[in-house]
Amino acid sequence: MQRNILQAVSFQVLHRRFFKKHHVRVRFAPSPTGYLHLGGLRTALYNYLFARSQQGAFILRIEDTDQTRIVPGAMKKLQDDLSWAGIISDEDPIRGGPLGPYIQSGRLELYQKQVLKLLDNGSAYYCFCTEQRLALIKNEALRCRQVPKYDNRCRHYSKDEVKEMLKKNLTYCVRFKLPSTPESFHDMVYGDILHDISKTEGDPVIIKSDGYPTYHFANVVDDHFMEISHVLRGVEWQVSTSKHIMLYKAFGWDPPAYGHLPLILNTDRSKLSKRQSDIDIESFRKQGIFPLALVNYVISAGGGGFHREEEDQILYSYEELIKKFDISKIKLSSGKLMPEKLLEFNKLEITNLLKDEENHSFLIERVKRLVQEAFPEQRNDGSLQLDDHHIITTLKWAQNRICNLNDLVKAQLAFLWIVPVSAASTKQIECSDAIKLLNAELVEMDVNNYKTDWIGPYLRNFADNKGIPFAALMKNLRSILSGAKDGPPVAEMMEILGKDRTLLRLRRFVS
């Protein structure tokens, strides 16, 4: 599915005929060195919304130049998580596109060709310094309490000296000559920015000794040849942008517009880290969080970027998010995650999905899978109560009581799906005679619509009339109906089970 470099170049001529000069093209370019987490999701989401709001294109590019840190399966998982979240790219490694390949390791020929241009115009040079020499420079700087940086020694070799060292087949990398004058730029979010990077680092490596480009070089080359018009990325990359613009100027290319997004912080205001397993998108999927709930959660964590007329917590659809997105509304301050909001968003999504009957089949299958996984023994004997009507009725009853579908299979709600095994050991149960009478009365009652508004008062009157403690009656009924000590009120249990299932469980006790 990937095209080689020669095919990609030929496509560019055709591509430019169909895309206007100022057509918005943005990209999300993760590295497969770990799994997608909330920070990466926010970056991808803002790029996606910006592209859609401007009728532009959203590109997914995999930056795998650091081959030593690649996690097996990470690239496929990144794409799966983005698709799950509803962030669909126009061009990517799977769909392809006119300016691919969309994996950097498939673009090495292009990088080798472009670095020759910088070597020829004097903007780059071969560096033959060994790892030992670089380590000595670093250690000496640290000993003198200075900022460790390369001393640019190889920059000053003559052409003849370079030729001689190349003839000897010495190991080398290629470095970019940092201009002595700082490069300022206008950040779409933070305004005018100036970083004098020469104070903190020497000439950076752009092609490593293994022939692979460094992040900075490949990033610039790919953004240019993929015709990226705007770059939206985390503020941690802002310090590198001056370097990227210097590379653009060395090539004689026009740089894209840059905008940097503020940090998202944990609840304790610490930075998010890839090492946190609880912020991986996969962890939210396993928790039963819906995609739209997670997207709204990320947006609510700070950063702005949206026109908001309401103060209350509202679950915005993708259409609404695209319509409301405004890059000028992005805030400068860092945002903080508030997990309680995520649960509220998820509860809203469950309610919204239930309102539309077209979603019911999806919800039914989702609940069936959850229940079967939670109760494998009953799954094998076929005793699980999983008819479609019962599932939808249960969801409507539970929508204001649960925050995600996984709550439906917790111990206190297991009675919804399985007949409690405790019924066989209820000979010693209190109020047994009263429960037999209750069963007889309920059988004779011509009421199919079990609702708590009459069941609650009816049970209390029954206890009073029979002269038994109401609390004792409820305790024993709970045991018969659910086999659990805790859970919803007994009247609610009877409502959600319905007449037939309630009487079935009472009859098991009576018999």
Side-chain angles (χ1 to χ4, degrees):
M1 191 168 288
Q2 295 181 26
R3 299 174 174 85
N4 61 34
I5 295 297
L6 294 178
Q7 288 176 313
V9 171
S10 66
F11 269 118
Q12 290 178 30
V13 177
L14 179 64
H15 176 77
R16 289 188 177 92
R17 295 177 185 174
F18 294 98
F19 285 90
K20 297 179 181 179
K21 183 178 180 181
H22 299 294
H23 182 75
V24 169
R25 287 175 60 81
V26 299
R27 49 72 170 174
F28 176 55
S31 61
T33 57
Y35 300 128
L36 186 66
H37 62 81
L38 284 181
L41 178 66
R42 194 273 301 267
T43 299
L45 177 65
Y46 274 48
N47 277 279
Y48 174 80
L49 295 177
F50 180 63
R52 294 292 177 263
S53 68
Q54 301 295 318
Q55 293 75 52
F58 172 70
I59 293 93
L60 173 64
R61 182 175 75 225
I62 302 298
E63 300 194 338
D64 63 342
T65 57
D66 191 346
Q67 294 284 298
T68 61
R69 297 176 58 228
I70 291 177
V71 174
M75 183 173 73
K76 183 181 184 303
K77 192 70 179 68
L78 283 165
Q79 294 176 90
D80 288 346
D81 285 341
L82 287 173
S83 296
W84 172 84
I87 301 174
I88 309 302
S89 49
D90 300 294
E91 302 166 31
D92 60 38
I94 295 177
R95 293 174 182 81
L99 300 179
Y102 295 89
I103 301 177
Q104 286 186 334
S105 57
R107 302 171 66 85
L108 296 181
E109 184 180 342
L110 177 63
Y111 306 135
Q112 293 295 340
K113 180 180 177 180
Q114 296 307 312
V115 78
L116 291 177
K117 293 181 180 180
L118 297 187
L119 289 166
D120 290 342
N121 69 21
S123 298
Y125 60 91
Y126 295 100
C127 175
F128 302 92
C129 291
T130 63
E131 292 293 330
Q132 291 83 355
R133 182 177 186 275
L134 295 176
L136 287 173
I137 293 172
K138 179 180 179 180
N139 292 336
E140 181 62 20
L142 292 174
R143 189 182 67 82
C144 297
R145 297 185 179 180
Q146 296 175 349
V147 177
K149 62 179 183 177
Y150 179 57
D151 61 1
N152 301 344
R153 183 181 74 168
C154 292
R155 178 199 277 218
H156 307 292
Y157 285 139
S158 67
K159 290 183 179 180
D160 291 337
E161 288 174 314
V162 171
K163 286 181 181 178
E164 284 300 316
M165 284 184 274
L166 290 174
K167 284 181 181 179
K168 295 177 181 178
N169 290 324
L170 296 179
T171 301
Y172 67 84
C173 64
V174 179
R175 292 182 182 268
F176 175 65
K177 291 182 181 178
L178 288 179
S180 57
T181 304
E183 193 68 53
S184 63
F185 69 96
H186 181 77
D187 191 307
M188 291 184 290
V189 177
Y190 288 84
D192 293 332
I193 301 295
L194 177 65
H195 288 300
D196 189 354
I197 56 178
S198 64
K199 289 183 177 180
T200 57
E201 62 179 290
D203 293 337
V205 175
I206 53 176
I207 297 291
K208 296 175 286 187
S209 58
D210 61 3
Y212 276 79
T214 58
Y215 162 78
H216 303 290
F217 183 72
N219 185 278
V220 167
V221 171
D222 287 341
D223 281 351
H224 172 73
F225 282 94
M226 290 183 179
E227 299 183 5
I228 301 303
S229 62
H230 297 75
V231 173
L232 296 179
R233 57 190 180 189
V235 71
E236 65 270 20
W237 293 109
Q238 190 182 70
V239 70
S240 299
T241 303
S242 296
K243 187 189 305 181
H244 295 173
I245 291 176
M246 289 175 179
L247 281 164
Y248 270 99
K249 287 198 171 184
F251 277 115
W253 300 336
D254 293 328
Y258 287 93
H260 293 87
L261 308 174
L263 293 174
I264 297 179
L265 304 176
N266 290 304
T267 53
D268 61 0
R269 304 203 69 82
S270 62
K271 291 183 180 180
L272 300 186
S273 169
K274 280 188 175 183
R275 290 184 293 273
Q276 288 179 243
S277 59
D278 62 339
I279 63 168
D280 284 345
I281 303 308
E282 178 64 20
S283 71
F284 294 105
R285 295 176 68 169
K286 289 180 177 178
Q287 291 172 39
I289 300 299
F290 285 100
L292 196 59
L294 188 62
V295 164
N296 277 263
Y297 176 53
V298 169
I299 289 167
S300 72
F306 300 89
H307 293 285
R308 288 185 179 272
E309 294 84 18
E310 306 90 352
E311 292 297 326
D312 295 336
Q313 185 156 304
I314 293 177
L315 189 76
Y316 290 119
S317 67
Y318 271 107
E319 291 78 8
E320 291 169 323
L321 290 172
I322 291 169
K323 183 178 179 180
K324 291 176 177 293
F325 183 78
D326 183 348
I327 198 168
S328 68
K329 298 291 183 182
I330 295 178
K331 301 175 183 178
L332 306 185
S333 56
S334 299
K336 187 175 72 169
L337 292 173
M338 290 179 280
E340 65 276 8
K341 279 193 173 184
L342 176 59
L343 297 179
E344 286 301 316
F345 282 131
N346 212 52
K347 181 183 289 188
L348 288 171
E349 178 67 341
I350 293 173
T351 301
N352 290 344
L353 289 170
L354 275 170
K355 287 178 182 177
D356 189 345
E357 289 189 5
E358 291 186 359
N359 298 318
H360 285 188
S361 60
F362 158 74
L363 291 170
I364 288 169
E365 290 306 311
R366 182 85 173 261
V367 171
K368 282 183 178 179
R369 187 167 62 250
L370 277 173
V371 173
Q372 289 169 347
E373 290 174 354
F375 308 108
E377 293 182 4
Q378 288 78 10
R379 176 184 181 178
N380 294 331
D381 64 24
S383 65
L384 291 176
Q385 301 185 22
L386 289 175
D387 61 276
D388 293 358
H389 176 73
H390 176 58
I391 291 175
I392 293 300
T393 302
T394 299
L395 283 171
K396 289 179 178 179
W397 167 81
Q399 62 184 314
N400 294 320
R401 298 169 171 85
I402 62 173
C403 292
N404 64 55
L405 297 184
N406 290 2
D407 292 341
L408 292 173
V409 294
K410 290 183 176 178
Q412 61 266 37
L413 293 182
F415 75 93
L416 294 169
W417 319 109
I418 59 178
V419 178
V421 296
S422 60
S425 59
T426 53
K427 291 183 178 180
Q428 305 302 321
I429 202 167
E430 301 175 55
C431 318
S432 58
D433 292 337
I435 290 173
K436 291 177 181 178
L437 291 173
L438 174 66
N439 176 66
E441 283 193 16
L442 289 173
V443 168
E444 294 299 322
M445 291 176 65
D446 187 19
V447 178
N448 290 314
N449 192 13
Y450 271 36
K451 292 292 183 183
T452 56
D453 54 1
W454 71 262
I455 294 175
Y458 166 76
L459 291 175
R460 185 170 289 279
N461 289 335
F462 178 86
D464 291 342
N465 293 336
K466 299 299 184 282
I468 58 176
F470 179 67
L473 178 64
M474 293 301 98
K475 175 184 176 182
N476 287 280
L477 278 176
R478 180 185 299 282
S479 177
I480 293 169
L481 296 175
S482 72
K485 295 181 179 179
D486 300 308
V490 170
E492 286 192 25
M493 284 186 179
M494 294 174 67
E495 176 182 333
I496 190 57
L497 287 172
K499 180 179 181 180
D500 292 341
R501 287 190 174 89
T502 298
L503 292 177
L504 175 64
R505 298 184 186 200
L506 289 176
R507 278 200 301 270
R508 289 178 74 240
F509 167 73
V510 170
S511 63

